[in-house]
Amino acid sequence: MKPLSERIAQQVKNIPRSGIRDFFELVQGRDDVISLGVGEPDFSAPWHIREAAIFSLEKGQTSYTSNLGLLSLRESIAKYVEGLFGVSYNPKNEILVTVGVSEALDLVCRALLNPGDEVIYHEPCYVSYSPSITMAYGVAVAVQTRVEDEFVLKAADIEAVITDRTRLIMLNFPTNPTGAVEPVEELEKIAALAIKHDLLVVTDEIYCELIYGGSDGMGKAQHTSIASLPGMKERTILLHGFSKAFAMTGFRLGYACAPTELTEAMMKIHQYSMLCAPIMSQNAAIEALENGADQVEMMRRAYARRRNLMLARFAEMEVPCFAPGGAFYMFPDIRKFGLSSKDFALRLLEEESVAVVPGDAFGPAGQGCVRACYATAYEKLEIAMDRIAAFVKRLQK
Amino acid sequence: MTPLLELLCDDARLSTKQMAERLGLSEAAVEGQLSDLLADGIVLGFHAVIDPEKISHQHVAALIEVKLTPERDGGFDRMAQRIAKFDQVTSCYLMSGGYDLAVFVEGHDLREVARFVSEKLSTLEGVVSTATHFQLKVYKQSGFLATERTEPERLSVTP
């Protein structure tokens, strides 16, 4: 028999092992570790949302829904997205409810790419972008963002890699892992490029509610979705979901908003692979959108205070770290210690039992930085920062 | 609510340094705001929230519905303030609906609370009637759940 390892499809073989997985295995089973390595809220989903899911089960709502998702949910999504970005989508044929944004991203790639089509995305970024492109037989073309620019994506860097095979530009602001928010001027230039070269754009807005600004960090940074810029709605697929702002990661619920033809194409794949998103999650999501605003703001303010705490501590220990406009990650620059991101993270784990994720797990541009998530209880954050300070002090000697 | 008040409502034990770090302010600014909050009577005090069932200390709590005859000058205020001053009274509110004052009372045992009601409260001139409801079990106290205190687990490293 031919070895099983040789039976794996080539495009799956081509996907490198995740750096995050490696790190997860090191941390796994050690209960002394304070982990700043997570990528999800430490809050449970607000009770009124959990209660809506329970009520949905009590009523016996355990069936399939429309492939697109419950119409009432799509109507709530249309209203919510219009409130967020001022872009209106028809709930009947321009919104598809998916199993998390991850599924939506996969659908976008599979629906739009022919083998060899190129997709431009920015690094450091969420780990699934490049594999999603590869698995759809596309070619992932990374554009690097830099710590010196506070990880703002430069339109000129995108333009430099556009070829006649480019089909799609993939954006994610606020960005996981850097927390960067894209200034609207740069977004306008990217939109102009997309129009000039007739490219589609997919924008992952999963962190868009979690933005921070103002002198005390408690206000909100300016965040614009590219979908809201003139001439862009018709060439943009807007992805969003419930995981981060509503602390509903385990509900696995996201959505794609896009022109009818694209929604229809994504739905074709979704109906045969997923059929529909779970109905209890969909019912919970309606409650989240209709009545969750206060809870989202309460969590945003808690993250804002923790972000302040992290910024103050990094400044105190003289570790350069820009003030991220969104998400719940700090991406401090650790180059001055002369260690790779991985070695820094490994030694911090070994010597001080604090887990952060090496920046290059999110792409080579993350080398020299580490990702520290502040969606963690204050008490733990304070101890973690004390330990990082002790570690950094030793490194400086 | 100001960011400082919001923080205090969440956890009042923090040092000024901790508060300053979380609020993106200097310690001096936090101290200034704190003394203003106290001086202006916006913050009435600080205390721990205790689940009485978890301590051996003998304790009963009751809600007493009090009906009053309002006075020509000042309505219920004088009577309510007089009732609120008793050490046994932990909270006292003027209510809309079927009675006038909701008086929360604590004591070591039933007899102590009963004596307070019969000897102190109901004998006050202007008190028309009282109805005493003893508290049987605490599920939530001042915003804190007394049950379900286990933290749900998260994976330690995720993308």
Side-chain angles (χ1 to χ4, degrees):
Chain A
M1 186 174 123
K2 202 168 153 188
L4 295 180
S5 61
E6 286 175 27
R7 298 182 184 230
I8 310 294
Q10 195 53 49
Q11 84 274 17
V12 175
K13 272 195 201 162
N14 289 348
I15 297 169
R17 196 182 144 80
S18 154
I20 296 236
R21 256 222 93 69
D22 287 343
F23 218 70
F24 172 71
E25 275 160 24
L26 283 173
V27 179
Q28 187 71 329
R30 285 185 51 175
D31 48 13
D32 58 331
V33 172
I34 296 182
S35 182
L36 308 182
V38 293
E40 64 175 326
D42 61 321
F43 296 102
S44 288
W47 171 247
H48 69 103
I49 297 172
R50 285 184 274 155
E51 204 268 345
I54 295 168
F55 186 55
S56 155
L57 288 173
E58 273 178 353
K59 279 193 297 183
Q61 294 186 332
T62 55
S63 60
Y64 295 131
T65 69
S66 144
N67 294 131
L68 289 172
L70 293 168
L71 181 61
S72 50
L73 172 57
R74 284 180 277 140
E75 284 165 351
S76 294
I77 291 170
K79 200 168 72 177
Y80 183 74
V81 168
E82 180 154 20
L84 278 177
F85 302 120
V87 190
S88 61
Y89 291 94
N90 185 341
K92 292 207 170 65
N93 51 24
E94 294 186 318
I95 296 173
L96 169 66
V97 177
T98 59
V99 179
V101 176
S102 297
E103 191 218 348
L105 194 76
D106 179 47
L107 294 179
V108 169
C109 293
R110 289 205 277 164
L112 301 182
L113 300 182
N114 286 308
D117 283 350
E118 294 174 7
V119 181
I120 299 171
Y121 69 106
H122 53 101
E123 283 185 341
C125 68
Y126 183 60
V127 294
S128 82
Y129 294 155
S130 168
S132 294
I133 299 163
T134 309
M135 283 190 283
Y137 306 98
V139 178
V141 179
V143 166
Q144 305 305 327
T145 59
R146 303 165 196 90
V147 66
E148 293 76 22
D149 303 328
E150 301 192 343
F151 296 102
V152 163
L153 173 60
K154 301 288 184 185
D157 290 338
I158 294 184
E159 189 160 29
V161 294
I162 293 177
T163 71
D164 54 4
R165 290 307 305 268
T166 307
R167 294 290 175 271
L168 194 60
I169 300 173
M170 209 175 250
L171 303 177
N172 168 227
F173 296 104
T175 308
N176 174 8
T178 62
V181 171
E182 186 77 349
V184 70
E185 313 80 66
E186 210 61 40
L187 214 51
E188 281 165 352
K189 288 185 206 161
I190 297 170
L193 278 180
I195 292 168
K196 179 177 158 199
H197 296 273
D198 194 17
L199 305 175
L200 298 184
V201 174
V202 53
T203 178
D204 175 354
E205 301 283 350
I206 191 68
Y207 290 100
C208 73
E209 294 93 343
L210 304 179
I211 44 177
Y212 320 99
S215 60
D216 63 357
M218 300 302 290
K220 292 184 182 180
Q222 162 88 24
H223 170 66
T224 307
S225 172
I226 197 163
S228 68
L229 298 181
M232 288 308 290
K233 189 201 155 188
E234 56 261 43
R235 59 175 70 247
T236 301
I237 303 116
L238 184 151
L239 308 183
H240 197 9
F242 298 86
S243 292
K244 312 298 176 174
F246 295 97
M248 290 172 67
T249 47
F251 283 83
R252 308 303 312 122
L253 207 67
Y255 50 89
C257 302
T260 315
E261 296 86 338
L262 304 185
T263 305
E264 184 65 28
M266 290 190 283
M267 199 270 281
K268 263 190 189 171
I269 307 167
H270 173 77
Q271 71 180 342
Y272 294 128
S273 57
M274 216 49 90
L275 212 158
C276 67
I279 189 169
M280 46 281 212
S281 294
Q282 293 193 49
N283 279 319
I286 294 171
E287 173 63 23
L289 293 179
E290 296 298 321
N291 299 309
D294 286 353
Q295 296 285 315
V296 169
E297 178 61 4
M298 182 278 289
M299 291 188 272
R300 188 194 70 82
R301 294 177 72 82
Y303 295 136
R305 291 191 293 265
R306 296 169 191 185
R307 172 179 167 279
N308 279 337
L309 165 70
M310 299 281 269
L311 281 171
R313 292 298 189 92
F314 279 125
E316 211 173 270
M317 57 181 98
E318 293 174 356
V319 172
C321 184
F322 82 103
F328 37 52
Y329 308 107
M330 306 296 276
F331 209 60
D333 177 355
I334 50 98
R335 287 176 298 180
K336 70 173 190 177
F337 302 110
L339 294 174
S340 71
S341 296
K342 194 173 178 190
D343 288 342
F344 184 94
L346 281 174
R347 281 189 54 186
L348 181 61
L349 180 65
E350 279 312 308
E351 296 175 28
E352 295 288 345
S353 300
V354 174
V356 294
V357 182
D360 57 332
F362 306 96
Q367 183 58 263
C369 296
V370 293
R371 188 190 77 174
C373 173
Y374 51 87
T376 300
Y378 293 114
E379 298 71 25
K380 286 188 186 168
L381 272 185
E382 284 181 334
I383 300 169
M385 294 312 278
D386 287 345
R387 292 182 185 177
I388 294 174
F391 175 67
V392 160
K393 206 170 172 187
R394 279 202 306 279
L395 287 182
Q396 268 161 341
K397 269 183 188 167
Chain B
M1 251 209 280
T2 66
L4 178 59
L5 265 182
E6 197 181 4
L7 191 60
L8 287 171
C9 289
D10 191 44
D11 184 353
R13 288 174 312 168
L14 302 172
S15 67
T16 27
K17 179 173 188 286
Q18 286 174 308
M19 288 191 260
E21 275 178 356
R22 291 173 197 195
L23 298 175
L25 298 170
S26 68
E27 283 188 60
V30 169
E31 270 162 20
Q33 284 190 29
L34 261 181
S35 46
D36 287 349
L37 286 173
L38 286 161
D40 298 342
I42 294 172
V43 171
L44 297 175
F46 303 94
H47 65 98
V49 180
I50 292 168
D51 180 349
E53 288 165 36
K54 304 256 167 64
I55 52 174
S56 55
H57 178 69
Q58 279 273 327
H59 173 273
V60 292
L63 158 64
I64 303 161
E65 299 173 1
V66 180
K67 286 186 186 165
L68 294 174
T69 312
E71 293 172 333
R72 179 155 185 162
D73 297 319
F76 297 106
D77 285 354
R78 194 186 63 89
M79 287 297 293
Q81 281 159 4
R82 192 164 167 190
I83 291 168
K85 279 182 186 153
F86 284 105
D87 288 342
Q88 292 91 332
V89 175
T90 55
S91 304
C92 180
Y93 311 101
L94 181 64
M95 308 296 286
S96 67
Y99 58 96
D100 303 310
L101 287 188
V103 180
F104 288 83
V105 171
E106 288 185 8
H108 296 298
D109 51 32
L110 286 177
R111 215 176 322 149
E112 188 185 323
V113 172
R115 207 164 52 228
F116 171 74
V117 176
S118 62
E119 292 177 10
K120 304 286 185 201
L121 206 54
S122 49
T123 55
L124 286 173
E125 200 180 339
V127 171
V128 178
S129 69
T130 64
T132 304
H133 308 274
F134 283 100
Q135 184 179 296
L136 300 181
K137 186 169 178 181
V138 177
Y139 295 97
K140 192 175 191 179
Q141 177 111 345
S142 304
F144 295 95
L145 283 177
T147 50
E148 286 178 46
R149 301 194 61 87
T150 49
E151 281 287 306
E153 283 200 9
R154 287 191 294 173
L155 294 176
S156 49
V157 180
T158 50

